[in-house]
């Protein structure tokens, strides 16, 4: 196995120049850089990252903890973070918690033990909002950037969207379509995103002078099955809602299954609006009205922020909070104004 000294001799440069070409830590002339790269190829040199890590006290590795990578939102989040990491020659290690906080604690401990240089974290629901384990990680001087969900009471860098405003705008769109009995299927109230989207729903109703009806609220878990089961409950009731706001895309898919099983149609019998862009949902009808979150950009910007924090070594600096824009994309699932539906029924009779 060739050594860095043999590469330096072959390229007729110093060992330090070879290290600078490998790390990008300092500028190297094009001519010298080309000689070093040629020597590495000819000798088949492989840098010893373990030795380099010990010397530089950096592993060039980031950890990333998400809820469930099979959810399109999180897979896009990871893709964005991976892109930014690779651009800077960082390795990204990704883990799923399935929204179990004990798993989150376990993975954080493993990542700290492996000396990752920083961690991107989408927190799991924690009873009593107990996120002391996140604080401990930060206090152990491992930089953390929280994505999508910010644990309450923790001073941490974050990249999020304004869930309250986006949910409020989504429900206002249903109100503009003439709906007054609007149901909601939420995520776990232990999650900030779920709480904020419920708050946006309540704000929109209050501004329209519509009393909040707890009978129109169902608490899900951001997974398809809960959207299906709770959707059946909501729509099987005698005075079913004419529209449902679903707090995430996977639960909306479950609701659509319930609509079909009950012999109903969207938007004819029930309008549906949700969160999360799901590219594969474009292959089904109706196309869903949704708040499209910039998940890829959220992951990319989060990784960039984390690497800046690592380079500055200022883990105690005031948190940076990046707020991205979420766009309401209106589609077929809310295309029918309520009054038009009544007219069509009358004409059909
Ligand atoms: O689909 C998962 C949901 O949980 C997304 O809406 C994302 O915001 C996360 O909070």
């Amino acid at each position: 196995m060739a050594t860095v000294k043999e590469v330096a001799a072959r390229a007729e440069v110093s060992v330090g120049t070879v290290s600078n070409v490998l790390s990008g830590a300092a500028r190297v002339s094009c001519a010298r850089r080309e000689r070093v790269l040629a020597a590495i190829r000819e000798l088949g040199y492989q840098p010893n990252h373990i030795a380099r890590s010990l010397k530089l006290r950096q592993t060039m590795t980031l950890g990333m903890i998400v809820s469930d990578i099979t959810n399109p939102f999180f897979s896009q989040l990871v893709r964005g973070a991976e892109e930014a990491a690779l651009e800077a020659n960082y390795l990204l290690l990704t883990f799923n918690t399935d929204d179990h906080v004990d798993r989150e604690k376990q993975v954080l401990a493993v990542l700290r033990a492996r000396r990752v240089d920083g961690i991107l974290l989408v927190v799991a629901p924690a009873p009593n909002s107990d996120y002391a384990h996140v604080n401990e990680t930060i206090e152990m001087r491992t930089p953390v950037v929280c994505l999508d969900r910010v644990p309450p009471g923790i001073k941490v860098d974050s990249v999020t969207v304004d869930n309250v405003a986006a949910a409020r705008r989504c429900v206002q769109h249903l109100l503009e379509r003439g709906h007054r009995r609007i149901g909601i299927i939420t995520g776990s109230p232990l999650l900030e995103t779920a709480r904020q989207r419920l708050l946006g729903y309540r704000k929109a109703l209050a501004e329209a002078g519509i009393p909040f009806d707890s009978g129109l609220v169902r608490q899900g878990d951001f997974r398809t099955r809960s959207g299906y089961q709770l959707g059946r409950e909501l729509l099987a009731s005698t005075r079913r809602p004419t529209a449902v706001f679903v707090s995430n895309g996977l639960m909306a898919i479950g609701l659509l299954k319930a609509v079909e099983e009950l012999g109903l149609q969207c938007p004819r019998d029930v309008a549906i609006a949700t969160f999360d862009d799901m590219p594969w949902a474009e292959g089904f009808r109706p196309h869903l009205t949704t708040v499209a979150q910039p998940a890829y950009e959220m992951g990319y910007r989060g990784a960039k922020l984390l690497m800046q924090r690592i380079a500055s070594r200022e883990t105690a600096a005031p948190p940076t909070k990046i707020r991205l824009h979420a766009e309401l994309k209106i589609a077929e699932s809310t295309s029918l104004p309520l009054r038009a539906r009544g007219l069509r029924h009358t004409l059909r009779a």
Side-chain angles (χ1 to χ4, degrees), residues 95-167:
F95 297 85
N96 296 271
T97 63
D98 288 324
D99 277 342
H100 296 307
V101 71
D102 290 341
R103 181 70 184 272
E104 178 175 293
K105 292 175 183 176
Q106 177 193 5
V107 172
L108 277 173
V110 167
L111 291 172
R112 288 197 305 265
R114 291 297 180 104
R115 297 290 188 276
V116 294
D117 295 332
I119 296 171
L120 294 168
L121 174 60
V122 178
V123 291
N128 309 312
S129 294
D130 175 10
Y131 289 101
H133 55 287
V134 178
N135 237 6
E136 286 161 17
T137 300
I138 295 168
E139 286 169 358
M140 290 178 187
R141 303 183 67 75
T142 300
V144 174
V145 172
C146 283
L147 305 178
D148 174 61
R149 310 159 180 181
V150 183
I154 306 289
K155 291 183 180 176
V156 63
D157 292 337
S158 63
V159 185
T160 62
V161 299
D162 185 338
N163 286 287
V164 177

Side-chain angles (χ1 to χ4, degrees), residues 71 73-74 148-149 193 197 222 247-248 275-276 293:
N71 178 331
F73 172 84
F74 296 111
D148 174 61
R149 310 159 180 181
T193 46
R197 294 169 195 174
F222 277 161
S247 297
N248 89 316
F275 257 73
D276 297 338
Q293 297 193 79

